Amino acid sequence: MLKRFNSTATPSTYSSRINWKLINPKIFIQHDCDFCQQHFPPDKQVNFAQDLDKSAAIPSKHVMALTTKHNRIGEFESRIENWSGTLAHEIHKLRFKVPLGSRTLISSIVLHKNDEILRQFNVKQHNGEQLVFIYPEMKIVKFNIAHTAQFITKYLKSGVEEETEVFNPFLKPSDISSKRSTKIKVDDRNFQEWHIDRDLIVICGHAKRDIRCGILGPILVDKFNEALTAKTIENDAYVGEITHIGGHAFAGNVLYYPKECTTSLDFIWYGRVFPDHVEMVVDDTVVHKRIIKGLFRGDNYKYGA
């Protein structure tokens, strides 16, 4: 569930604990095209013609719920906001009563050793409990899905409590009531919080939304786990799949959220990532905090060369 928006960030508003640098290594497109022709249907080839710069609607807040429904994102229905049992669905149902803040993205994720992580946080998978990562606040939050309205109010609701309404004589009473947000009383005892102390790398693997992501996503998850293990930093990062985040024509879509995140400008979104790129992404971006221009879907202008 993605709200489209135009970036309003400027260099003067940028601040981060991370000293990001922009690099421009050679990306071998012909080799990547060969991969596509071998693995993807003829009518579902990756778009290599469009420049990736500013091709992503990067949110100001990203909420990712560890799924308890399936072990693979590829098994998720095409639109998770319409699929009963997901947090995205519950939030979508409440969109008029408890509206989200602007530029908020709700996703589901399946991490490597997903069930083990859920057990670590004592999540009762069949009791409606949710484990949610919230960026850039860097919080892990556990709560019951029955308290979704409180969750939105506490963590996601827009800072604007009320807006002045202009009288419209043509509106029906039902139209007016549906647009008014409901006052929700939050009981803090319904929520447990932890600080996120690892990097996060998630790859779109949403097969029922687009087969390119469905094929490439699991391959990239395995490659990232191998590359992190080779550098003995596999315990420093969560790795897994994520539901549709936009731009499946640019598969593989890789999102990197470092544990040092302070603003949404620290969200690094890559496109057209293929297995041969993974070692480079881990070395340059994860380890040395260098952004690879040829893969970057964000706003290049705000980073130093």
Side-chain angles (χ1 to χ4, degrees), residues 185-202:
K185 185 176 180 180
V186 176
D187 185 345
D188 289 334
R189 293 172 298 180
N190 292 326
F191 304 93
Q192 291 179 265
E193 293 184 6
W194 297 266
H195 177 72
I196 298 174
D197 60 359
R198 299 187 190 183
D199 290 349
L200 175 70
I201 303 167
V202 284

PDB file of all heavy atoms in Angstrom, residues 185-202:
ATOM      1  N   LYS A 185      -8.485   6.439  22.068  1.00  0.00           N
ATOM      2  CA  LYS A 185      -7.745   6.461  23.329  1.00  0.00           C
ATOM      3  C   LYS A 185      -6.711   5.347  23.303  1.00  0.00           C
ATOM      4  O   LYS A 185      -7.039   4.186  23.069  1.00  0.00           O
ATOM      5  CB  LYS A 185      -8.688   6.281  24.515  1.00  0.00           C
ATOM      6  CG  LYS A 185      -7.988   6.405  25.872  1.00  0.00           C
ATOM      7  CD  LYS A 185      -8.977   6.309  27.009  1.00  0.00           C
ATOM      8  CE  LYS A 185      -8.269   6.441  28.359  1.00  0.00           C
ATOM      9  NZ  LYS A 185      -9.224   6.351  29.496  1.00  0.00           N
ATOM     10  N   VAL A 186      -5.462   5.698  23.524  1.00  0.00           N
ATOM     11  CA  VAL A 186      -4.365   4.744  23.458  1.00  0.00           C
ATOM     12  C   VAL A 186      -4.003   4.259  24.849  1.00  0.00           C
ATOM     13  O   VAL A 186      -3.780   5.051  25.766  1.00  0.00           O
ATOM     14  CB  VAL A 186      -3.125   5.370  22.789  1.00  0.00           C
ATOM     15  CG1 VAL A 186      -1.956   4.391  22.822  1.00  0.00           C
ATOM     16  CG2 VAL A 186      -3.446   5.787  21.358  1.00  0.00           C
ATOM     17  N   ASP A 187      -3.956   2.941  24.995  1.00  0.00           N
ATOM     18  CA  ASP A 187      -3.469   2.320  26.227  1.00  0.00           C
ATOM     19  C   ASP A 187      -2.059   1.811  25.941  1.00  0.00           C
ATOM     20  O   ASP A 187      -1.872   0.829  25.218  1.00  0.00           O
ATOM     21  CB  ASP A 187      -4.386   1.167  26.630  1.00  0.00           C
ATOM     22  CG  ASP A 187      -4.011   0.558  27.980  1.00  0.00           C
ATOM     23  OD1 ASP A 187      -2.881   0.830  28.469  1.00  0.00           O
ATOM     24  OD2 ASP A 187      -4.820  -0.193  28.536  1.00  0.00           O
ATOM     25  N   ASP A 188      -1.056   2.481  26.498  1.00  0.00           N
ATOM     26  CA  ASP A 188       0.337   2.141  26.215  1.00  0.00           C
ATOM     27  C   ASP A 188       0.701   0.720  26.641  1.00  0.00           C
ATOM     28  O   ASP A 188       1.679   0.147  26.153  1.00  0.00           O
ATOM     29  CB  ASP A 188       1.275   3.137  26.906  1.00  0.00           C
ATOM     30  CG  ASP A 188       1.223   4.517  26.251  1.00  0.00           C
ATOM     31  OD1 ASP A 188       0.888   4.587  25.058  1.00  0.00           O
ATOM     32  OD2 ASP A 188       1.520   5.503  26.948  1.00  0.00           O
ATOM     33  N   ARG A 189      -0.104   0.134  27.532  1.00  0.00           N
ATOM     34  CA  ARG A 189       0.172  -1.230  27.982  1.00  0.00           C
ATOM     35  C   ARG A 189      -0.050  -2.250  26.866  1.00  0.00           C
ATOM     36  O   ARG A 189       0.403  -3.400  26.976  1.00  0.00           O
ATOM     37  CB  ARG A 189      -0.703  -1.570  29.187  1.00  0.00           C
ATOM     38  CG  ARG A 189      -0.384  -0.762  30.443  1.00  0.00           C
ATOM     39  CD  ARG A 189      -1.411  -1.008  31.526  1.00  0.00           C
ATOM     40  NE  ARG A 189      -2.755  -0.589  31.117  1.00  0.00           N
ATOM     41  CZ  ARG A 189      -3.840  -0.687  31.880  1.00  0.00           C
ATOM     42  NH1 ARG A 189      -3.741  -1.215  33.094  1.00  0.00           N
ATOM     43  NH2 ARG A 189      -5.018  -0.271  31.442  1.00  0.00           N
ATOM     44  N   ASN A 190      -0.704  -1.827  25.792  1.00  0.00           N
ATOM     45  CA  ASN A 190      -0.954  -2.729  24.668  1.00  0.00           C
ATOM     46  C   ASN A 190       0.247  -2.855  23.728  1.00  0.00           C
ATOM     47  O   ASN A 190       0.178  -3.621  22.760  1.00  0.00           O
ATOM     48  CB  ASN A 190      -2.162  -2.249  23.866  1.00  0.00           C
ATOM     49  CG  ASN A 190      -3.465  -2.386  24.630  1.00  0.00           C
ATOM     50  OD1 ASN A 190      -3.628  -3.321  25.412  1.00  0.00           O
ATOM     51  ND2 ASN A 190      -4.387  -1.460  24.413  1.00  0.00           N
ATOM     52  N   PHE A 191       1.322  -2.131  24.024  1.00  0.00           N
ATOM     53  CA  PHE A 191       2.454  -2.099  23.105  1.00  0.00           C
ATOM     54  C   PHE A 191       3.772  -2.349  23.850  1.00  0.00           C
ATOM     55  O   PHE A 191       3.982  -1.845  24.944  1.00  0.00           O
ATOM     56  CB  PHE A 191       2.520  -0.740  22.396  1.00  0.00           C
ATOM     57  CG  PHE A 191       1.251  -0.398  21.671  1.00  0.00           C
ATOM     58  CD1 PHE A 191       0.261   0.346  22.286  1.00  0.00           C
ATOM     59  CD2 PHE A 191       1.037  -0.857  20.387  1.00  0.00           C
ATOM     60  CE1 PHE A 191      -0.931   0.634  21.630  1.00  0.00           C
ATOM     61  CE2 PHE A 191      -0.140  -0.571  19.718  1.00  0.00           C
ATOM     62  CZ  PHE A 191      -1.127   0.176  20.347  1.00  0.00           C
ATOM     63  N   GLN A 192       4.631  -3.131  23.198  1.00  0.00           N
ATOM     64  CA  GLN A 192       5.997  -3.321  23.668  1.00  0.00           C
ATOM     65  C   GLN A 192       6.945  -2.805  22.593  1.00  0.00           C
ATOM     66  O   GLN A 192       6.695  -2.985  21.404  1.00  0.00           O
ATOM     67  CB  GLN A 192       6.285  -4.797  23.933  1.00  0.00           C
ATOM     68  CG  GLN A 192       5.544  -5.383  25.122  1.00  0.00           C
ATOM     69  CD  GLN A 192       5.867  -6.861  25.296  1.00  0.00           C
ATOM     70  OE1 GLN A 192       5.150  -7.722  24.825  1.00  0.00           O
ATOM     71  NE2 GLN A 192       6.975  -7.143  25.978  1.00  0.00           N
ATOM     72  N   GLU A 193       8.041  -2.170  23.020  1.00  0.00           N
ATOM     73  CA  GLU A 193       8.980  -1.567  22.072  1.00  0.00           C
ATOM     74  C   GLU A 193      10.405  -2.046  22.322  1.00  0.00           C
ATOM     75  O   GLU A 193      10.800  -2.285  23.466  1.00  0.00           O
ATOM     76  CB  GLU A 193       8.964  -0.035  22.192  1.00  0.00           C
ATOM     77  CG  GLU A 193       7.684   0.629  21.774  1.00  0.00           C
ATOM     78  CD  GLU A 193       7.806   2.155  21.848  1.00  0.00           C
ATOM     79  OE1 GLU A 193       8.924   2.662  22.123  1.00  0.00           O
ATOM     80  OE2 GLU A 193       6.792   2.834  21.654  1.00  0.00           O
ATOM     81  N   TRP A 194      11.152  -2.162  21.215  1.00  0.00           N
ATOM     82  CA  TRP A 194      12.589  -2.419  21.249  1.00  0.00           C
ATOM     83  C   TRP A 194      13.262  -1.528  20.213  1.00  0.00           C
ATOM     84  O   TRP A 194      12.613  -1.111  19.238  1.00  0.00           O
ATOM     85  CB  TRP A 194      12.910  -3.879  20.918  1.00  0.00           C
ATOM     86  CG  TRP A 194      12.371  -4.881  21.879  1.00  0.00           C
ATOM     87  CD1 TRP A 194      12.995  -5.440  22.953  1.00  0.00           C
ATOM     88  CD2 TRP A 194      11.062  -5.490  21.840  1.00  0.00           C
ATOM     89  NE1 TRP A 194      12.185  -6.347  23.582  1.00  0.00           N
ATOM     90  CE2 TRP A 194      10.985  -6.392  22.921  1.00  0.00           C
ATOM     91  CE3 TRP A 194       9.946  -5.340  20.996  1.00  0.00           C
ATOM     92  CZ2 TRP A 194       9.849  -7.151  23.185  1.00  0.00           C
ATOM     93  CZ3 TRP A 194       8.809  -6.091  21.258  1.00  0.00           C
ATOM     94  CH2 TRP A 194       8.766  -6.985  22.336  1.00  0.00           C
ATOM     95  N   HIS A 195      14.531  -1.242  20.406  1.00  0.00           N
ATOM     96  CA  HIS A 195      15.291  -0.472  19.425  1.00  0.00           C
ATOM     97  C   HIS A 195      15.853  -1.422  18.362  1.00  0.00           C
ATOM     98  O   HIS A 195      16.322  -2.516  18.677  1.00  0.00           O
ATOM     99  CB  HIS A 195      16.442   0.279  20.096  1.00  0.00           C
ATOM    100  CG  HIS A 195      17.302   1.044  19.135  1.00  0.00           C
ATOM    101  ND1 HIS A 195      16.879   2.194  18.508  1.00  0.00           N
ATOM    102  CD2 HIS A 195      18.565   0.801  18.674  1.00  0.00           C
ATOM    103  CE1 HIS A 195      17.834   2.635  17.715  1.00  0.00           C
ATOM    104  NE2 HIS A 195      18.857   1.802  17.792  1.00  0.00           N
ATOM    105  N   ILE A 196      15.783  -1.018  17.086  1.00  0.00           N
ATOM    106  CA  ILE A 196      16.360  -1.822  16.011  1.00  0.00           C
ATOM    107  C   ILE A 196      17.871  -1.665  16.053  1.00  0.00           C
ATOM    108  O   ILE A 196      18.396  -0.559  15.882  1.00  0.00           O
ATOM    109  CB  ILE A 196      15.809  -1.385  14.639  1.00  0.00           C
ATOM    110  CG1 ILE A 196      14.293  -1.594  14.591  1.00  0.00           C
ATOM    111  CG2 ILE A 196      16.498  -2.163  13.517  1.00  0.00           C
ATOM    112  CD1 ILE A 196      13.635  -1.061  13.321  1.00  0.00           C
ATOM    113  N   ASP A 197      18.579  -2.775  16.237  1.00  0.00           N
ATOM    114  CA  ASP A 197      20.030  -2.717  16.390  1.00  0.00           C
ATOM    115  C   ASP A 197      20.766  -3.459  15.276  1.00  0.00           C
ATOM    116  O   ASP A 197      21.951  -3.778  15.411  1.00  0.00           O
ATOM    117  CB  ASP A 197      20.452  -3.279  17.745  1.00  0.00           C
ATOM    118  CG  ASP A 197      20.034  -4.734  17.927  1.00  0.00           C
ATOM    119  OD1 ASP A 197      19.392  -5.303  17.011  1.00  0.00           O
ATOM    120  OD2 ASP A 197      20.358  -5.319  18.993  1.00  0.00           O
ATOM    121  N   ARG A 198      20.066  -3.736  14.168  1.00  0.00           N
ATOM    122  CA  ARG A 198      20.691  -4.366  13.012  1.00  0.00           C
ATOM    123  C   ARG A 198      20.295  -3.621  11.741  1.00  0.00           C
ATOM    124  O   ARG A 198      19.266  -2.948  11.693  1.00  0.00           O
ATOM    125  CB  ARG A 198      20.239  -5.818  12.853  1.00  0.00           C
ATOM    126  CG  ARG A 198      20.571  -6.744  13.992  1.00  0.00           C
ATOM    127  CD  ARG A 198      20.198  -8.167  13.591  1.00  0.00           C
ATOM    128  NE  ARG A 198      20.273  -9.092  14.710  1.00  0.00           N
ATOM    129  CZ  ARG A 198      20.049 -10.401  14.601  1.00  0.00           C
ATOM    130  NH1 ARG A 198      19.737 -10.918  13.423  1.00  0.00           N
ATOM    131  NH2 ARG A 198      20.126 -11.184  15.661  1.00  0.00           N
ATOM    132  N   ASP A 199      21.116  -3.752  10.711  1.00  0.00           N
ATOM    133  CA  ASP A 199      20.720  -3.287   9.392  1.00  0.00           C
ATOM    134  C   ASP A 199      19.549  -4.138   8.895  1.00  0.00           C
ATOM    135  O   ASP A 199      19.329  -5.262   9.370  1.00  0.00           O
ATOM    136  CB  ASP A 199      21.870  -3.428   8.389  1.00  0.00           C
ATOM    137  CG  ASP A 199      23.008  -2.464   8.652  1.00  0.00           C
ATOM    138  OD1 ASP A 199      22.850  -1.545   9.480  1.00  0.00           O
ATOM    139  OD2 ASP A 199      24.072  -2.635   8.019  1.00  0.00           O
ATOM    140  N   LEU A 200      18.834  -3.606   7.912  1.00  0.00           N
ATOM    141  CA  LEU A 200      17.753  -4.356   7.270  1.00  0.00           C
ATOM    142  C   LEU A 200      17.947  -4.314   5.763  1.00  0.00           C
ATOM    143  O   LEU A 200      18.135  -3.237   5.182  1.00  0.00           O
ATOM    144  CB  LEU A 200      16.394  -3.755   7.630  1.00  0.00           C
ATOM    145  CG  LEU A 200      15.191  -4.383   6.918  1.00  0.00           C
ATOM    146  CD1 LEU A 200      14.934  -5.797   7.419  1.00  0.00           C
ATOM    147  CD2 LEU A 200      13.936  -3.528   7.101  1.00  0.00           C
ATOM    148  N   ILE A 201      17.914  -5.487   5.133  1.00  0.00           N
ATOM    149  CA  ILE A 201      17.974  -5.593   3.673  1.00  0.00           C
ATOM    150  C   ILE A 201      16.777  -6.427   3.237  1.00  0.00           C
ATOM    151  O   ILE A 201      16.677  -7.610   3.604  1.00  0.00           O
ATOM    152  CB  ILE A 201      19.268  -6.275   3.198  1.00  0.00           C
ATOM    153  CG1 ILE A 201      20.502  -5.527   3.709  1.00  0.00           C
ATOM    154  CG2 ILE A 201      19.298  -6.374   1.670  1.00  0.00           C
ATOM    155  CD1 ILE A 201      21.801  -6.310   3.554  1.00  0.00           C
ATOM    156  N   VAL A 202      15.854  -5.813   2.493  1.00  0.00           N
ATOM    157  CA  VAL A 202      14.687  -6.553   2.008  1.00  0.00           C
ATOM    158  C   VAL A 202      14.569  -6.379   0.500  1.00  0.00           C
ATOM    159  O   VAL A 202      14.856  -5.313  -0.047  1.00  0.00           O
ATOM    160  CB  VAL A 202      13.391  -6.117   2.716  1.00  0.00           C
ATOM    161  CG1 VAL A 202      13.312  -6.694   4.110  1.00  0.00           C
ATOM    162  CG2 VAL A 202      13.242  -4.604   2.763  1.00  0.00           C
TER     163      VAL A 202
END
